[in-house]
Structure formats: C-alpha cells, structure tokens
Amino acid sequence: EVFFPAHMQEDSWYGKFIFGCQVIFTITFFMYRVVGWWYVSLQLWKDAYYVWSNGIVEKLRPGKSYVLYMFLAADVILGTLQVFWFYQILLKVQEVLSGDD
C-alpha cells in the first residue's frame, strides 16, 4: 500500500483506474506467466524427450547433456515460482474483494 495509499483509492477516478489496472495485471499475469509458461514448457519437454529418446543430445553435444537436464530443472523451478506468485496475487485479490485491505 506504499505506492497506492488506500485514502487515495476510495471512490475517485484514480481509485477506479488503479483497480482496473490491478484486474488487468491479474488476468495478464495468469495468461502469460502461468498458462503461457506451462504451454511453452510442455513443448520444451516434448523436444527434450525427442532428443533423449533418439540419442540426438549426445550426438550433437557429446558430454554436455547435463546442460539439458539443468535447463529442464530450471524450467520446473521457475514454473513453480510463477504459480507461487500467482497464488500470492490471488491472496491479495481475496483481501481486496473482502474489504480487508
């Protein structure tokens, strides 16, 4: 509440504008950072499975296949972080809708 004090948000144009921005942020965060992330991740995992199952990973980068494993691990960690952040956003949405802000 440092950047958007509650006393400035009450039924003013500014308050409605800030609320609209919060709604748009929540929707776009979900679409791009949660749904989009996992959609692209699924494609990544399909490609990784293909190169593993056909031995391409060792043929193209001998001795460097660990990089692919590290990349996939980072994908899972960062994807989980996207979901955690969205959960934090939903907690704030719940707080705003219940009037406890």
Side-chain angles (χ1 to χ4, degrees):
E1 303 301 331
V2 174
F3 298 108
F4 306 112
H7 69 278
M8 295 180 71
Q9 291 186 28
E10 296 173 4
D11 296 318
S12 68
W13 177 88
Y14 175 76
K16 291 174 184 170
F17 176 74
I18 294 301
F19 182 74
C21 290
Q22 291 170 336
V23 169
I24 292 168
F25 171 78
T26 302
I27 292 168
T28 56
F29 188 95
F30 177 72
M31 292 305 299
Y32 289 100
R33 300 289 292 270
V34 178
V35 174
W37 181 277
W38 291 109
Y39 176 75
V40 172
S41 290
L42 180 61
Q43 294 172 339
L44 170 69
W45 281 84
K46 286 179 181 179
D47 290 344
Y49 177 75
Y50 179 80
V51 296
W52 278 329
S53 62
N54 293 309
I56 298 171
V57 67
E58 282 299 324
K59 184 165 74 169
L60 295 176
R61 302 295 286 171
K64 305 277 189 204
S65 63
Y66 67 91
V67 174
L68 183 58
Y69 299 119
M70 289 174 31
F71 198 84
L72 292 174
D75 176 63
V76 170
I77 292 167
L78 293 173
T80 303
L81 192 56
Q82 306 300 328
V83 173
F84 173 74
W85 286 333
F86 188 65
Y87 172 73
Q88 294 296 313
I89 292 169
L90 290 179
L91 291 178
K92 187 63 177 176
V93 167
Q94 181 182 19
E95 181 182 315
V96 167
L97 292 178
S98 69
D100 294 338
D101 58 4

